Tab-separated table of all heavy atoms in Angstrom:
chain	number	residue	atom	x	y	z
A	1405	MET	N	99.766	97.267	113.760
A	1405	MET	CA	100.653	97.408	112.620
A	1405	MET	C	100.238	96.473	111.482
A	1405	MET	O	100.325	96.852	110.317
A	1405	MET	CB	102.093	97.115	113.050
A	1405	MET	CG	102.671	98.093	114.076
A	1405	MET	SD	102.656	99.803	113.558
A	1405	MET	CE	103.990	99.837	112.377
A	1406	ALA	N	99.793	95.278	111.841
A	1406	ALA	CA	99.415	94.309	110.808
A	1406	ALA	C	98.256	94.815	109.947
A	1406	ALA	O	98.137	94.450	108.774
A	1406	ALA	CB	99.049	92.981	111.454
A	1407	LYS	N	97.421	95.681	110.513
A	1407	LYS	CA	96.283	96.216	109.757
A	1407	LYS	C	96.732	97.060	108.569
A	1407	LYS	O	95.983	97.230	107.602
A	1407	LYS	CB	95.397	97.076	110.678
A	1407	LYS	CG	94.686	96.311	111.770
A	1407	LYS	CD	93.592	95.424	111.247
A	1407	LYS	CE	92.368	96.227	110.905
A	1407	LYS	NZ	91.270	95.340	110.420
A	1408	ILE	N	97.934	97.603	108.649
A	1408	ILE	CA	98.437	98.428	107.540
A	1408	ILE	C	98.434	97.638	106.243
A	1408	ILE	O	98.145	98.186	105.170
A	1408	ILE	CB	99.852	98.953	107.871
A	1408	ILE	CG1	99.772	99.940	109.042
A	1408	ILE	CG2	100.487	99.608	106.644
A	1408	ILE	CD1	101.115	100.396	109.563
A	1409	LYS	N	98.709	96.347	106.341
A	1409	LYS	CA	98.763	95.512	105.143
A	1409	LYS	C	97.387	95.326	104.498
A	1409	LYS	O	97.284	94.854	103.380
A	1409	LYS	CB	99.373	94.151	105.481
A	1409	LYS	CG	100.836	94.270	105.864
A	1409	LYS	CD	101.433	92.939	106.250
A	1409	LYS	CE	102.889	93.119	106.625
A	1409	LYS	NZ	103.497	91.908	107.168
A	1410	GLU	N	96.352	95.709	105.226
A	1410	GLU	CA	94.997	95.571	104.692
A	1410	GLU	C	94.522	96.829	103.966
A	1410	GLU	O	93.401	96.881	103.459
A	1410	GLU	CB	94.025	95.224	105.831
A	1410	GLU	CG	94.331	93.884	106.470
A	1410	GLU	CD	93.438	93.587	107.664
A	1410	GLU	OE1	92.374	94.210	107.795
A	1410	GLU	OE2	93.824	92.742	108.480
A	1411	CYS	N	95.368	97.847	103.920
A	1411	CYS	CA	95.002	99.086	103.219
A	1411	CYS	C	94.751	98.778	101.739
A	1411	CYS	O	95.563	98.136	101.082
A	1411	CYS	CB	96.127	100.110	103.352
A	1411	CYS	SG	95.859	101.608	102.378
A	1412	ILE	N	93.608	99.234	101.259
A	1412	ILE	CA	93.245	98.962	99.857
A	1412	ILE	C	93.453	100.195	98.979
A	1412	ILE	O	93.011	100.249	97.838
A	1412	ILE	CB	91.782	98.475	99.751
A	1412	ILE	CG1	90.820	99.499	100.374
A	1412	ILE	CG2	91.624	97.108	100.416
A	1412	ILE	CD1	89.348	99.212	100.130
A	1413	HIS	N	94.111	101.207	99.554
A	1413	HIS	CA	94.432	102.444	98.824
A	1413	HIS	C	93.185	103.074	98.204
A	1413	HIS	O	93.189	103.472	97.047
A	1413	HIS	CB	95.513	102.178	97.761
A	1413	HIS	CG	96.810	101.730	98.363
A	1413	HIS	ND1	97.815	102.608	98.701
A	1413	HIS	CD2	97.245	100.507	98.739
A	1413	HIS	CE1	98.823	101.942	99.244
A	1413	HIS	NE2	98.500	100.664	99.269
A	1414	CYS	N	92.149	103.136	99.015
A	1414	CYS	CA	90.897	103.722	98.535
A	1414	CYS	C	90.930	105.252	98.534
A	1414	CYS	O	90.054	105.892	97.956
A	1414	CYS	CB	89.726	103.236	99.394
A	1414	CYS	SG	89.775	103.855	101.091
A	1415	SER	N	91.906	105.827	99.231
A	1415	SER	CA	92.106	107.290	99.307
A	1415	SER	C	91.050	108.042	100.103
A	1415	SER	O	91.000	109.269	100.040
A	1415	SER	CB	92.211	107.916	97.907
A	1415	SER	OG	93.358	107.397	97.255
A	1416	GLN	N	90.220	107.327	100.837
A	1416	GLN	CA	89.222	108.029	101.657
A	1416	GLN	C	89.892	108.855	102.743
A	1416	GLN	O	89.410	109.945	103.076
A	1416	GLN	CB	88.242	107.030	102.279
A	1416	GLN	CG	87.259	106.492	101.264
A	1416	GLN	CD	86.122	105.733	101.933
A	1416	GLN	OE1	85.654	106.104	103.000
A	1416	GLN	NE2	85.691	104.664	101.295
A	1417	CYS	N	90.984	108.349	103.296
A	1417	CYS	CA	91.661	109.113	104.346
A	1417	CYS	C	92.428	110.293	103.750
A	1417	CYS	O	92.411	111.390	104.311
A	1417	CYS	CB	92.583	108.213	105.159
A	1417	CYS	SG	93.786	107.291	104.192
A	1418	THR	N	93.079	110.084	102.638
A	1418	THR	CA	93.880	111.167	102.056
A	1418	THR	C	92.981	112.319	101.601
A	1418	THR	O	93.350	113.482	101.719
A	1418	THR	CB	94.709	110.668	100.862
A	1418	THR	OG1	93.865	109.975	99.964
A	1418	THR	CG2	95.815	109.742	101.308
A	1419	SER	N	91.787	112.005	101.129
A	1419	SER	CA	90.897	113.069	100.653
A	1419	SER	C	90.344	113.890	101.808
A	1419	SER	O	89.869	115.002	101.604
A	1419	SER	CB	89.757	112.479	99.822
A	1419	SER	OG	88.927	111.679	100.625
A	1420	LYS	N	90.410	113.356	103.036
A	1420	LYS	CA	89.876	114.068	104.201
A	1420	LYS	C	90.948	114.711	105.057
A	1420	LYS	O	90.630	115.497	105.953
A	1420	LYS	CB	89.066	113.097	105.065
A	1420	LYS	CG	87.802	112.649	104.397
A	1420	LYS	CD	87.069	111.633	105.227
A	1420	LYS	CE	85.824	111.176	104.483
A	1420	LYS	NZ	85.329	109.906	104.959
A	1421	CYS	N	92.200	114.404	104.813
A	1421	CYS	CA	93.271	114.920	105.674
A	1421	CYS	C	93.453	116.428	105.444
A	1421	CYS	O	93.736	116.857	104.331
A	1421	CYS	CB	94.576	114.186	105.392
A	1421	CYS	SG	95.927	114.811	106.427
A	1422	PRO	N	93.317	117.239	106.508
A	1422	PRO	CA	93.464	118.689	106.349
A	1422	PRO	C	94.894	119.118	106.047
A	1422	PRO	O	95.131	120.251	105.628
A	1422	PRO	CB	92.994	119.245	107.699
A	1422	PRO	CG	93.176	118.125	108.663
A	1422	PRO	CD	92.977	116.860	107.881
A	1423	TYR	N	95.841	118.230	106.231
A	1423	TYR	CA	97.245	118.560	105.973
A	1423	TYR	C	97.724	118.013	104.632
A	1423	TYR	O	98.874	118.189	104.259
A	1423	TYR	CB	98.132	118.021	107.098
A	1423	TYR	CG	97.686	118.506	108.454
A	1423	TYR	CD1	97.037	117.641	109.326
A	1423	TYR	CD2	97.871	119.827	108.846
A	1423	TYR	CE1	96.590	118.087	110.563
A	1423	TYR	CE2	97.433	120.273	110.077
A	1423	TYR	CZ	96.793	119.403	110.935
A	1423	TYR	OH	96.357	119.846	112.149
A	1424	GLY	N	96.865	117.317	103.936
A	1424	GLY	CA	97.238	116.776	102.642
A	1424	GLY	C	98.229	115.629	102.722
A	1424	GLY	O	98.986	115.394	101.773
A	1425	LEU	N	98.225	114.928	103.850
A	1425	LEU	CA	99.173	113.823	104.012
A	1425	LEU	C	98.773	112.629	103.160
A	1425	LEU	O	97.589	112.337	102.986
A	1425	LEU	CB	99.238	113.390	105.482
A	1425	LEU	CG	99.736	114.453	106.466
A	1425	LEU	CD1	99.658	113.917	107.892
A	1425	LEU	CD2	101.149	114.892	106.142
A	1426	ASP	N	99.774	111.948	102.629
A	1426	ASP	CA	99.552	110.704	101.882
A	1426	ASP	C	99.590	109.564	102.892
A	1426	ASP	O	100.600	108.877	103.037
A	1426	ASP	CB	100.633	110.544	100.808
A	1426	ASP	CG	100.364	109.366	99.885
A	1426	ASP	OD1	99.514	108.523	100.212
A	1426	ASP	OD2	101.035	109.281	98.844
A	1427	THR	N	98.501	109.401	103.600
A	1427	THR	CA	98.459	108.461	104.718
A	1427	THR	C	98.850	107.030	104.337
A	1427	THR	O	99.659	106.413	105.040
A	1427	THR	CB	97.061	108.472	105.356
A	1427	THR	OG1	96.671	109.824	105.556
A	1427	THR	CG2	97.057	107.738	106.685
A	1428	PRO	N	98.318	106.460	103.262
A	1428	PRO	CA	98.712	105.085	102.923
A	1428	PRO	C	100.216	104.945	102.717
A	1428	PRO	O	100.823	103.965	103.155
A	1428	PRO	CB	97.946	104.803	101.630
A	1428	PRO	CG	96.779	105.728	101.679
A	1428	PRO	CD	97.275	106.963	102.367
A	1429	LYS	N	100.832	105.925	102.069
A	1429	LYS	CA	102.281	105.863	101.850
A	1429	LYS	C	103.034	105.981	103.175
A	1429	LYS	O	104.018	105.283	103.410
A	1429	LYS	CB	102.701	106.977	100.889
A	1429	LYS	CG	104.139	106.857	100.436
A	1429	LYS	CD	104.421	107.800	99.280
A	1429	LYS	CE	105.161	107.053	98.209
A	1429	LYS	NZ	104.957	107.465	96.882
A	1430	LEU	N	102.569	106.894	104.045
A	1430	LEU	CA	103.201	107.061	105.354
A	1430	LEU	C	103.080	105.782	106.176
A	1430	LEU	O	104.039	105.374	106.845
A	1430	LEU	CB	102.551	108.224	106.107
A	1430	LEU	CG	102.869	109.621	105.569
A	1430	LEU	CD1	101.961	110.657	106.220
A	1430	LEU	CD2	104.327	109.973	105.814
A	1431	LEU	N	101.913	105.153	106.120
A	1431	LEU	CA	101.719	103.914	106.871
A	1431	LEU	C	102.650	102.817	106.360
A	1431	LEU	O	103.240	102.076	107.147
A	1431	LEU	CB	100.254	103.454	106.759
A	1431	LEU	CG	99.242	104.292	107.544
A	1431	LEU	CD1	97.831	103.851	107.198
A	1431	LEU	CD2	99.478	104.179	109.041
A	1432	GLU	N	102.782	102.715	105.048
A	1432	GLU	CA	103.682	101.705	104.486
A	1432	GLU	C	105.114	101.919	104.958
A	1432	GLU	O	105.818	100.971	105.308
A	1432	GLU	CB	103.637	101.744	102.956
A	1432	GLU	CG	102.442	101.035	102.370
A	1432	GLU	CD	102.442	101.089	100.844
A	1432	GLU	OE1	103.481	101.418	100.242
A	1432	GLU	OE2	101.388	100.800	100.260
A	1433	LYS	N	105.552	103.184	104.973
A	1433	LYS	CA	106.915	103.490	105.411
A	1433	LYS	C	107.093	103.182	106.892
A	1433	LYS	O	108.129	102.640	107.312
A	1433	LYS	CB	107.209	104.981	105.120
A	1433	LYS	CG	108.558	105.455	105.608
A	1433	LYS	CD	109.707	104.765	104.892
A	1433	LYS	CE	111.044	105.317	105.366
A	1433	LYS	NZ	112.034	104.270	105.591
A	1434	LYS	N	106.099	103.523	107.693
A	1434	LYS	CA	106.186	103.245	109.130
A	1434	LYS	C	106.217	101.746	109.382
A	1434	LYS	O	106.920	101.277	110.278
A	1434	LYS	CB	105.006	103.888	109.877
A	1434	LYS	CG	105.088	105.394	109.937
A	1434	LYS	CD	106.347	105.843	110.662
A	1434	LYS	CE	106.825	107.170	110.179
A	1434	LYS	NZ	108.221	107.446	110.558
A	1435	LEU	N	105.458	100.986	108.613
A	1435	LEU	CA	105.480	99.530	108.772
A	1435	LEU	C	106.853	98.979	108.403
A	1435	LEU	O	107.395	98.114	109.102
A	1435	LEU	CB	104.394	98.878	107.913
A	1435	LEU	CG	104.348	97.352	107.967
A	1435	LEU	CD1	104.119	96.851	109.394
A	1435	LEU	CD2	103.273	96.810	107.038
A	1436	GLU	N	107.428	99.502	107.330
A	1436	GLU	CA	108.765	99.069	106.915
A	1436	GLU	C	109.767	99.366	108.032
A	1436	GLU	O	110.592	98.510	108.381
A	1436	GLU	CB	109.161	99.795	105.629
A	1436	GLU	CG	110.521	99.393	105.095
A	1436	GLU	CD	110.926	100.241	103.882
A	1436	GLU	OE1	110.041	100.687	103.143
A	1436	GLU	OE2	112.122	100.469	103.709
A	1437	ASP	N	109.714	100.577	108.585
A	1437	ASP	CA	110.607	100.943	109.683
A	1437	ASP	C	110.411	100.004	110.868
A	1437	ASP	O	111.376	99.531	111.477
A	1437	ASP	CB	110.352	102.388	110.133
A	1437	ASP	CG	110.772	103.403	109.078
A	1437	ASP	OD1	111.479	103.024	108.126
A	1437	ASP	OD2	110.375	104.571	109.206
A	1438	TYR	N	109.168	99.758	111.216
A	1438	TYR	CA	108.839	98.893	112.345
A	1438	TYR	C	109.406	97.490	112.143
A	1438	TYR	O	110.008	96.917	113.041
A	1438	TYR	CB	107.314	98.825	112.505
A	1438	TYR	CG	106.840	97.832	113.520
A	1438	TYR	CD1	106.821	98.125	114.880
A	1438	TYR	CD2	106.403	96.571	113.120
A	1438	TYR	CE1	106.389	97.202	115.810
A	1438	TYR	CE2	105.964	95.644	114.042
A	1438	TYR	CZ	105.958	95.961	115.378
A	1438	TYR	OH	105.530	95.027	116.293
A	1439	GLU	N	109.215	96.942	110.929
A	1439	GLU	CA	109.695	95.590	110.659
A	1439	GLU	C	111.221	95.528	110.680
A	1439	GLU	O	111.795	94.529	111.122
A	1439	GLU	CB	109.136	95.092	109.318
A	1439	GLU	CG	107.649	94.800	109.405
A	1439	GLU	CD	107.011	94.356	108.097
A	1439	GLU	OE1	107.570	94.641	107.013
A	1439	GLU	OE2	105.938	93.737	108.155
A	1440	ASN	N	111.880	96.583	110.221
A	1440	ASN	CA	113.350	96.615	110.269
A	1440	ASN	C	113.858	96.647	111.705
A	1440	ASN	O	114.835	95.964	112.039
A	1440	ASN	CB	113.881	97.821	109.490
A	1440	ASN	CG	113.881	97.582	107.999
A	1440	ASN	OD1	114.012	96.449	107.532
A	1440	ASN	ND2	113.728	98.646	107.236
A	1441	VAL	N	113.207	97.413	112.557
A	1441	VAL	CA	113.601	97.468	113.974
A	1441	VAL	C	113.300	96.121	114.641
A	1441	VAL	O	114.139	95.573	115.364
A	1441	VAL	CB	112.877	98.622	114.708
A	1441	VAL	CG1	113.116	98.527	116.220
A	1441	VAL	CG2	113.357	99.963	114.180
A	1442	ALA	N	112.120	95.577	114.383
A	1442	ALA	CA	111.720	94.315	115.006
A	1442	ALA	C	112.656	93.173	114.609
A	1442	ALA	O	112.924	92.265	115.389
A	1442	ALA	CB	110.288	93.979	114.621
A	1443	ALA	N	113.187	93.235	113.379
A	1443	ALA	CA	114.088	92.180	112.890
A	1443	ALA	C	115.542	92.433	113.290
A	1443	ALA	O	116.415	91.620	112.984
A	1443	ALA	CB	113.980	92.076	111.372
A	1444	GLY	N	115.797	93.561	113.938
A	1444	GLY	CA	117.162	93.871	114.377
A	1444	GLY	C	118.050	94.439	113.293
A	1444	GLY	O	119.253	94.549	113.467
A	1445	ARG	N	117.468	94.777	112.142
A	1445	ARG	CA	118.255	95.343	111.042
A	1445	ARG	C	118.581	96.811	111.283
A	1445	ARG	O	119.540	97.339	110.721
A	1445	ARG	CB	117.508	95.199	109.714
A	1445	ARG	CG	117.390	93.753	109.230
A	1445	ARG	CD	116.799	93.679	107.841
A	1445	ARG	NE	115.382	93.983	107.828
A	1445	ARG	CZ	114.411	93.086	107.959
A	1445	ARG	NH1	114.717	91.814	108.075
A	1445	ARG	NH2	113.139	93.435	107.949
A	1446	VAL	N	117.780	97.458	112.095
A	1446	VAL	CA	117.980	98.870	112.414
A	1446	VAL	C	117.842	99.028	113.921
A	1446	VAL	O	116.943	98.439	114.530
A	1446	VAL	CB	116.930	99.754	111.706
A	1446	VAL	CG1	117.045	101.200	112.145
A	1446	VAL	CG2	117.072	99.646	110.198
A	1447	LYS	N	118.752	99.785	114.506
A	1447	LYS	CA	118.674	100.019	115.936
A	1447	LYS	C	118.187	101.441	116.192
A	1447	LYS	O	118.482	102.351	115.443
A	1447	LYS	CB	120.042	99.846	116.588
A	1447	LYS	CG	120.508	98.398	116.591
A	1447	LYS	CD	121.616	98.201	117.603
A	1447	LYS	CE	122.186	96.803	117.556
A	1447	LYS	NZ	121.298	95.755	117.950
A	1448	VAL	N	117.398	101.599	117.247
A	1448	VAL	CA	116.968	102.928	117.670
A	1448	VAL	C	117.543	103.197	119.051
A	1448	VAL	O	117.624	102.288	119.870
A	1448	VAL	CB	115.426	103.052	117.680
A	1448	VAL	CG1	114.886	103.085	116.275
A	1448	VAL	CG2	114.791	101.938	118.478
A	1449	ASP	N	117.968	104.422	119.251
A	1449	ASP	CA	118.530	104.786	120.559
A	1449	ASP	C	117.472	105.316	121.495
A	1449	ASP	O	116.495	105.829	121.127
A	1449	ASP	CB	119.623	105.855	120.365
A	1449	ASP	CG	120.813	105.274	119.587
A	1449	ASP	OD1	121.114	104.091	119.782
A	1449	ASP	OD2	121.432	106.041	118.806
B	956	SF4	S1	94.268	103.684	105.224
B	956	SF4	FE1	93.223	105.182	103.922
B	956	SF4	S2	93.589	104.468	101.815
B	956	SF4	FE2	94.013	102.745	103.207
B	956	SF4	S3	92.061	101.619	103.308
B	956	SF4	FE3	92.126	103.051	105.064
B	956	SF4	S4	91.025	104.886	104.306
B	956	SF4	FE4	91.591	103.665	102.494
């Protein structure tokens, strides 16, 4: 997860994704979710 913070938004992954996913944005959101759960701000069932 910590590697997400090293993303330099070069868009190499987004230009190759066959689904057109905005991978850097998705990774940022997943990291935010992860940090909220890890800090106890959000609970998952
Ligand atoms: S995640 Fe995608 S945009 Fe970020 S550094 Fe890696 S290839 Fe570049």
Side-chain angles (χ1 to χ4, degrees):
M1405 296 303 285
K1407 293 290 283 182
I1408 293 173
K1409 293 178 180 173
E1410 296 176 19
C1411 174
I1412 57 171
H1413 297 268
C1414 67
S1415 297
Q1416 286 192 37
C1417 55
T1418 51
S1419 66
K1420 292 176 182 160
C1421 179
Y1423 305 106
L1425 298 176
D1426 187 346
T1427 312
K1429 189 168 227 150
L1430 289 169
L1431 288 172
E1432 280 180 15
K1433 176 65 177 137
K1434 289 299 151 197
L1435 178 59
E1436 181 185 330
D1437 292 347
Y1438 173 82
E1439 289 178 338
N1440 281 331
V1441 171
R1445 291 187 288 269
V1446 174
K1447 291 198 185 294
V1448 288
D1449 294 325

